[in-house]
Amino acid sequence: MKLHPTKLQGVYLIVVAPLADARGNFARTFCVETLRRAGAAFGPVRQMSISVNDRKATLRGLHWQAGPRPEAKIVRPVRGRIFDVALDLRPASPSFKQWFGVELNAAHQNALLIPQGCAHGFVTLQDDCAIEYVMDADFDPALARGARWDDPAFAIAWPLLPAMIGERDRVWPDFVG
């Protein structure tokens, strides 16, 4: 696996290099040493989750976990394609309130590493998507935070308008910070 830095400090696009033969392929999708060498802040793994989304244009996010137990996450579609967004909400960061978006595709086996202090969201680009999350902190509902997907403070250029949004994600207040 290879880590490609993005315009947001600590956010990496993870690209795998599958070894292919007549049986199919095999690829390393997670490697602590590769993350360490790149200076990526992640680990140890504490939880894994999966998000299954039946319909194209389903939006989830933007979510993060606040201190004292913030979380970093690695997000990878295991079925389908998504437009994945990391949003920098670290006030001391040079990219504060900036976002990075990328298409993640299960066929390409690519992923995005979102560090602590950054929000995450995605919109499905096709029906029948499943997205795997690997997190370095236990989920704590009391620390769960969110920002509205269309908040003008961020001006995220989503590739399509969401058709399905959970009520909680629809009504987050305008970001103040």
Side-chain angles (χ1 to χ4, degrees):
M1 76 182 224
K2 295 181 181 176
L3 273 66
H4 298 277
T6 69
K7 69 178 187 176
L8 304 181
Q9 182 180 13
V11 176
Y12 293 89
L13 179 62
I14 300 172
V15 178
V16 299
L19 301 172
D21 63 21
R23 300 168 293 174
N25 71 60
F26 178 86
R28 177 169 294 139
T29 60
F30 181 84
C31 179
V32 170
E33 182 60 21
T34 301
L35 294 171
R36 186 195 64 74
R37 279 196 316 266
F42 187 86
V45 172
R46 297 286 302 173
Q47 290 186 336
M48 293 178 68
S49 300
I50 194 160
S51 169
V52 176
N53 305 272
D54 296 330
R55 293 186 32 206
K56 178 180 178 176
T58 297
L59 184 128
R60 293 187 187 257
L62 300 156
H63 304 142
W64 70 97
Q65 185 161 296
R69 288 185 301 285
E71 69 179 2
K73 59 183 80 168
I74 296 174
V75 180
R76 176 188 319 276
V78 293
R79 186 172 61 241
R81 298 180 305 117
I82 63 173
F83 182 75
D84 205 48
V85 171
L87 171 64
D88 191 342
L89 295 177
R90 302 167 290 185
S93 171
S95 55
F96 179 57
K97 295 198 307 186
Q98 294 180 31
W99 62 274
F100 172 78
V102 65
E103 181 178 319
L104 299 180
N105 185 329
H108 297 152
Q109 302 168 348
N110 56 353
L112 196 64
L113 184 147
I114 300 107
Q116 295 177 356
C118 289
H120 169 256
F122 67 84
V123 65
T124 58
L125 299 175
Q126 66 181 71
D127 290 342
D128 193 26
C129 293
I131 297 86
E132 179 182 72
Y133 292 72
V134 179
M135 284 91 59
D136 71 353
D138 294 324
F139 177 69
D140 185 338
L143 301 175
R145 302 290 187 269
R148 207 174 58 252
W149 68 278
D150 62 348
D151 191 319
F154 313 125
I156 297 171
W158 298 95
L160 52 86
L161 288 177
M164 304 229 4
I165 306 172
E167 186 59 26
R168 181 180 69 148
D169 290 341
R170 185 184 314 280
V171 300
W172 290 112
D174 284 348
F175 182 78
V176 178

